[in-house]
Amino acid sequence: MASKPRLLTVLDIVTALLMAAAIYMVFIFAPMERVMGAVQKVFYFHVAAGWAGMLGFFVAFVAGIVYLITKQSRWDRVELAGVEIGLVFMFICIVTGSIWARPIWNTWWTWDPRLTTATIMELAYAAYMMLRSGIEDPERRARFGAVYSIVAFISVPLTFFSIRIFRTIHPVVIGSNDPTAQGTFNMTPAMGQTFAFSLIAFSFLFAALLWHRIRLGKLQEDVERLKLQLQS
Amino acid sequence: MRTAVTRPAGTPFVRSMLAVVWKDLAAEWRSKEILSSMLVFALLVILIFNFALELDASARREATAGILWVTLAFAGTLGLNRSMAVEKDRGCLDGLLLAPVDRTAIYFGKSIANWLFMLSVALIVLPVYSILYNVNLFNPGLLMVILLGSEGYVAIGTLLSSMAVQTRMRDILLPILLFPVIIPVVLASVKASYGYLQGSAMTDIQPWITLLVASDLIFTAVAFMVFDYVVEE
Amino acid sequence: MEGPAETTAYFIAGYTVIFGTLIVYLTSLVMRFRRLHQDKALLTDLQSDEEKASLQEESLGTLS
């Protein structure tokens, strides 16, 4: 395998710096929210993780389409990397959301559209992992994986709208203000800056992880090929 | 020449599609294994619900739509799995794929056959349920919802079951793959059925019907576009 | 107006989950990388050994 590209090293360093800065902003720079107190600070990384998770599933969706058209195994690696990292970030998003909901909504769990959609998504992509593990032939595994990553991603907006028709209590912090939502707050400029910075930091973290995971996939493939060569 | 052979109507696509449907129905007519297993299973699920939920008259009215769709969804996976596994085991799938027909004709043929199986199960379950629980289920709105809901269900179900049978886990995998993506269809069907059974205002039911039709269209289109890649060897 | 609610414990729990999960994932990536590098080194060694062996066999074959 080729040695680590210089750009990746740069990306790693930039990501580490951005994450350190984002942590500083969340813990020290951002002001304490007047009503909710410290737990409101979970919001910054909660939304950023949700964003990174969606990004991962979207990357997998696009890579799935490109794989079916080109049949190049590198797109399969991109797709698997996107799903795996998406699962990690979505998990963070769901658990932190639940922790935030406990003091604010007074319950660990509620069947809110976003919460439910995120959980169903997590289950669908867990099913994706099981599908892949059930197929030995790498070419077929890639094809089926691509098909399922497309189907799973298409169903996400439908799931969301279907649950949306129920009443929601999820706060919409950015954009419209729904008076029935509980736990809404107005962002001060410092909060806005912290929030924007968290999003940027998580985007970089996502990109760096994705790149590393794709390289891991390449290495895995090389090892498998070597094994096959030795057996024959 | 033209008068000697009475050719079935339609383009080659429609003809090969109907041939697949016909083949499935004829095979089922001989063996009856898919329909009978789906049916017995569906009735058992309804019985278990009766014990599990302690249904009194008012609870019954509330829960009927949900019970009906859970029963249909579970029986549906059973039928989908069986109908694809039969193809795979007897080597029919390979034969079909070797035949010089459009792959998507095979997809639509299998989907229609599965749809018919699901509808026949519903057709028997509905009167049985009506008798057992003393609820009148013969409601044109409900019948339409069953038609639409099972279409969306088999559209994705046929695609995913043809993937599942080609893996190591086969039977277990289909529900795991299918349920997370089919939620919009099932949810919209339950809510629309509930609305019709309760005699709700059309404005309450309309969003669910819209969502159901939209899901049906999107799922059918996606499955149609990617089916080629699932069966290609 | 009362002060902010006392929710520090939830705040700490939230960030423990975030960093915990990220660290676990990073560790798993590093471990997988390390194992695969080892496997690869081992396999390349085996392969070169085998090549040598087959070369020797060939030369033996030409001698006899």
Side-chain angles (χ1 to χ4, degrees):
Chain A
M1 189 166 123
S3 61
K4 192 171 166 182
R6 189 178 297 160
L7 188 61
L8 182 55
T9 315
V10 174
L11 182 63
D12 283 348
I13 295 167
V14 171
T15 306
L17 290 176
L18 280 173
M19 280 306 286
I23 292 167
Y24 166 78
M25 286 182 89
V26 168
F27 279 71
I28 296 160
F29 175 71
M32 191 77 90
E33 211 271 333
R34 273 182 301 115
V35 184
M36 287 186 267
V39 77
Q40 180 270 335
K41 291 188 171 191
V42 169
F43 153 84
Y44 302 114
F45 279 20
H46 162 72
V47 178
W51 152 251
M54 274 309 289
L55 213 58
F57 297 143
F58 179 69
V59 165
F61 169 66
V62 174
I65 295 175
V66 178
Y67 175 79
L68 287 184
I69 296 168
T70 63
K71 293 289 163 65
Q72 288 168 334
S73 64
R74 78 168 97 134
W75 291 106
D76 179 52
R77 293 197 290 272
V78 175
E79 177 196 301
L80 178 61
V83 171
E84 197 180 286
I85 295 167
L87 277 172
V88 171
F89 278 117
M90 222 17 119
F91 173 78
I92 291 177
C93 178
I94 294 169
V95 176
T96 52
S98 178
I99 289 171
W100 177 86
R102 176 68 201 143
I104 304 302
W105 289 342
N106 211 11
T107 169
W108 289 109
W109 189 257
T110 145
W111 296 100
D112 159 84
R114 288 182 219 194
L115 222 58
T116 314
T117 309
T119 313
I120 291 168
M121 238 158 83
E122 189 83 0
L123 288 174
Y125 286 98
Y128 168 95
M129 289 302 196
M130 294 185 66
L131 172 68
R132 286 187 75 103
S133 70
I135 309 170
E136 264 123 45
D137 174 23
E139 193 267 340
R140 179 186 289 174
R141 183 168 56 210
R143 244 183 319 120
F144 284 15
V147 166
Y148 195 70
S149 75
I150 293 170
V151 171
F153 195 78
I154 295 279
S155 85
V156 168
L158 291 170
T159 305
F160 179 76
F161 283 121
S162 66
I163 304 166
R164 180 108 218 207
I165 306 181
F166 292 126
R167 192 175 67 89
T168 176
I169 60 168
H170 199 115
V172 182
V173 178
I174 302 123
S176 78
N177 255 328
D178 181 0
T180 57
Q182 294 170 25
T184 334
F185 57 94
N186 292 318
M187 275 201 276
T188 64
M191 284 180 175
Q193 284 155 16
T194 311
F195 177 59
F197 207 83
S198 307
L199 278 185
I200 295 169
F202 265 69
S203 304
F204 272 83
L205 180 62
F206 170 77
L209 285 177
L210 187 73
W211 196 338
H212 281 293
R213 182 61 186 80
I214 292 169
R215 283 165 55 86
L216 182 74
K218 179 87 180 75
L219 187 61
Q220 229 158 9
E221 211 174 88
D222 289 350
V223 168
E224 255 163 52
R225 192 173 331 109
L226 274 174
K227 267 185 197 157
L228 276 178
Q229 271 174 13
L230 274 177
Q231 275 167 6
S232 59
Chain B
M1 277 295 278
R2 278 178 62 209
T3 47
V5 194
T6 49
R7 303 182 61 142
T11 60
F13 181 88
V14 174
R15 249 179 292 136
S16 37
M17 184 180 85
L18 289 179
V20 174
V21 178
W22 185 245
K23 173 197 76 70
D24 270 23
L25 293 185
E28 182 57 25
W29 185 253
R30 275 196 305 277
S31 69
K32 298 179 187 64
E33 59 184 14
I34 297 177
L35 268 182
S36 56
S37 56
M38 278 171 91
L39 205 61
V40 172
F41 182 76
L43 296 175
L44 287 172
V45 171
I46 289 179
L47 281 181
I48 288 175
F49 266 119
N50 176 46
F51 300 126
L53 297 181
E54 294 277 351
L55 294 170
D56 58 32
S58 69
R60 229 179 277 156
R61 265 203 308 282
E62 293 290 317
T64 295
I67 294 177
L68 218 54
W69 278 102
V70 170
T71 309
L72 279 181
F74 284 176
T77 51
L78 213 66
L80 285 170
N81 246 334
R82 194 70 211 132
S83 120
M84 271 300 166
V86 168
E87 299 276 354
K88 184 82 183 154
D89 291 348
R90 296 186 191 147
C92 297
L93 199 56
D94 302 327
L96 266 180
L97 297 177
L98 285 174
V101 276
D102 197 336
R103 297 276 164 81
T104 48
I106 299 175
Y107 166 74
F108 280 116
K110 288 300 288 182
S111 299
I112 292 174
N114 287 332
W115 194 20
L116 291 175
F117 292 149
M118 236 178 127
L119 290 178
S120 354
V121 171
L123 214 63
I124 302 173
V125 164
L126 282 183
V128 172
Y129 192 96
S130 299
I131 294 167
L132 286 181
Y133 292 100
N134 197 19
V135 187
N136 182 18
L137 291 182
F138 281 88
N139 179 317
L142 178 67
L143 295 183
M144 182 193 71
V145 174
I146 289 179
L147 221 56
L148 287 175
S150 46
E151 198 283 329
Y153 190 88
V154 296
I156 283 294
T158 307
L159 174 77
L160 295 182
S161 70
S162 50
M163 291 205 308
V165 290
Q166 297 182 61
T167 65
R168 239 187 306 121
M169 296 186 272
R170 291 186 61 155
D171 301 346
I172 348 167
L173 203 54
L174 177 65
I176 294 174
L177 291 177
L178 180 57
F179 288 156
V181 295
I182 207 67
I183 281 175
V185 170
V186 173
L187 183 58
S189 302
V190 169
K191 285 291 159 184
S193 310
Y194 178 80
Y196 280 118
L197 287 175
Q198 299 283 313
S200 312
M202 202 52 211
T203 46
D204 288 344
I205 305 174
Q206 193 55 51
W208 296 113
I209 298 288
T210 313
L211 184 73
L212 190 54
V213 172
S215 310
D216 281 4
L217 288 176
I218 292 170
F219 280 150
T220 310
V222 170
F224 160 74
M225 282 189 282
V226 297
F227 186 73
D228 256 7
Y229 300 103
V230 169
V231 290
E232 123 193 328
E233 284 311 318
Chain C
M1 190 86 195
E2 56 187 300
E6 177 46 47
T7 48
T8 317
Y10 292 104
F11 166 69
I12 293 169
Y15 277 91
T16 312
V17 167
I18 294 170
F19 295 128
T21 313
L22 284 178
I23 287 167
V24 166
Y25 184 65
L26 277 175
T27 320
S28 99
L29 271 184
V30 171
M31 298 287 273
R32 281 188 280 176
F33 258 116
R34 197 171 292 165
R35 224 190 43 225
L36 282 171
H37 273 305
Q38 279 170 359
D39 281 6
K40 194 177 176 186
L42 190 74
L43 285 167
T44 4
D45 272 4
L46 276 174
Q47 199 175 32
S48 57
D49 282 357
E50 217 164 68
E51 266 163 28
K52 266 183 222 154
S54 67
L55 274 177
Q56 271 175 352
E57 254 169 48
E58 260 172 46
S59 53
L60 282 174
T62 46
L63 275 176
S64 59

